[in-house]
Amino acid sequence: MIKVVLISHTPDPERTIAAAARVSSSPVGAVELLEKLTPERVAQLVERLIASGHMSVFEHANFTFALEGISRVTSHQLVRHRLASYTQQSQRYVSLKDFNYITPASISGKAELAGRYHETVRAAHQLYLEMQDAGIPAEDARYVLPNAAETRLVMTMNARELIHACSLRLCLRAQWEIVELFEHIKAEVEKVAPRLAAELKPKCYRLGYCDEMESCGIFPTRAELADKRGGNT
Ligand SMILES: Cc1cc2nc3c(=O)[nH]c(=O)nc-3n(C[C@H](O)[C@H](O)[C@H](O)COP(=O)(O)OP(=O)(O)OC[C@H]3O[C@@H](n4cnc5c(N)ncnc54)[C@H](O)[C@@H]3O)c2cc1C
């Protein structure tokens, strides 16, 4: 089961973003601005920054998450987001005696295939253990382990990259596991920065259309939108 815990973050993240933004157009410094900003003004500023695309100020707020219970499929997709810092449990240094793995619902829903899936994964793990008993180091024995292998990481991402990554990974055209992971991430951000969390949404909400080949149905694709507009004129 996916577990996400926000283990640390920039104190008062939204206020920090708002104060940083105000510095550019104010005669006073960030310390004074921080004292003067009311919660309403902070919310207003965050909204305006998003609307105007003044995104660099969102880099001042950092969030560090402990992530557990995801597959190596998903961690591989996650670390493609380059503007973040990651530390992942090593399969070189940690020998996986207790082997946990992820089973997609599409597989567990098919009893016969699911049985073979579990059999195959467990057989791979058994061979992994036997190879280590024969003196093969964990870093080499792990080559036999599947993508389904569970992993854990610590990830630090700033608010700008969170907005960007969520725009891609909360999209229902992304794979279910990473969508679920980012839903958990969003829920954690919501606890400390609700205004910011409201901006963690699929890209279509910002675009007003779906830029994938096929829409999930929330918004029409660009082509469907153009057809509609053409029909109206
Ligand atoms: C649905 C889906 C399917 C995908 N399928 C595939 C696939 O089949 N194969 C595959 O290889 N990948 C795939 N990806 C991964 C995808 O191509 C990106 O690598 C990943 O989403 C990271 O996002 P990003 O490139 O926007 O940048 P991030 O690394 O999140 O960086 C954020 C932004 O910073 C800027 N940036 C970062 N690094 C640079 C740089 N070096 N130069 C210039 N600008 C930079 C860009 O504006 C970028 O958008 C898929 C992603 C999604 C969401």
Side-chain angles (χ1 to χ4, degrees):
M1 205 170 66
I2 294 180
K3 187 174 170 197
V4 175
V5 178
L6 179 63
I7 54 176
S8 69
H9 60 85
T10 300
D12 220 338
E14 292 171 353
R15 182 178 288 267
T16 304
I17 292 165
R22 288 283 290 113
V23 161
S24 69
S25 58
S26 170
V28 298
V31 176
E32 199 173 320
L33 287 165
L34 270 170
E35 283 164 9
K36 286 184 181 159
L37 282 169
T38 62
E40 295 72 31
R41 184 77 182 117
V42 169
Q44 210 178 42
L45 275 165
V46 170
E47 196 168 321
R48 198 185 300 164
L49 291 165
I50 295 274
S52 65
H54 185 185
M55 299 307 289
S56 61
V57 289
F58 288 86
E59 294 166 21
H60 295 294
N62 275 284
F63 298 83
T64 300
F65 305 90
L67 313 174
E68 291 184 12
I70 58 169
S71 68
R72 283 223 160 211
V73 169
T74 290
S75 69
H76 190 80
Q77 294 176 348
L78 180 66
V79 302
R80 293 297 301 277
H81 293 287
R82 293 157 287 180
L83 306 184
S85 305
Y86 305 95
T87 305
Q88 182 163 21
Q89 183 183 54
S90 168
Q91 284 185 344
R92 290 189 74 195
Y93 306 125
V94 179
S95 174
L96 302 169
K97 301 271 187 250
D98 297 319
F99 185 62
N100 295 318
Y101 60 95
I102 307 299
T103 306
S106 61
I107 296 175
S108 52
K110 294 203 169 14
E112 201 267 330
L113 287 172
R116 284 167 57 196
Y117 175 85
H118 294 303
E119 231 171 71
T120 305
V121 172
R122 284 171 195 155
H125 181 238
Q126 184 56 35
L127 177 56
Y128 165 83
L129 294 176
E130 285 174 28
M131 286 196 279
Q132 286 180 80
D133 287 345
I136 294 170
E139 67 178 15
D140 290 343
R142 68 173 165 165
Y143 279 67
V144 79
L145 295 176
N147 274 331
E150 212 176 85
T151 188
R152 50 172 66 114
L153 304 90
V154 170
M155 173 183 85
T156 300
M157 214 178 238
N158 68 43
R160 183 182 194 173
E161 182 67 355
L162 271 174
I163 292 170
H164 173 71
C166 283
S167 79
L168 298 175
R169 303 304 185 174
L170 287 176
C171 165
L172 297 178
R173 306 303 298 178
Q175 196 169 358
W176 61 272
E177 195 184 4
I178 199 158
V179 173
E180 214 177 301
L181 174 67
F182 273 92
E183 281 168 352
H184 280 82
I185 288 171
K186 176 176 175 164
E188 285 298 285
V189 174
E190 211 149 32
K191 292 176 188 168
V192 298
R195 185 63 199 78
L196 172 66
E199 298 305 327
L200 305 183
K201 52 193 176 190
K203 55 191 183 306
C204 55
Y205 283 88
R206 227 174 300 287
L207 294 170
Y209 60 86
C210 167
D211 66 351
E212 296 290 324
M213 296 292 280
E214 206 182 313
S215 168
C216 69
I218 298 177
F219 283 92
T221 62
R222 206 172 188 167
E224 287 165 349
L225 197 64
D227 280 352
K228 239 192 239 173
R229 285 187 178 149
N232 287 338
T233 52

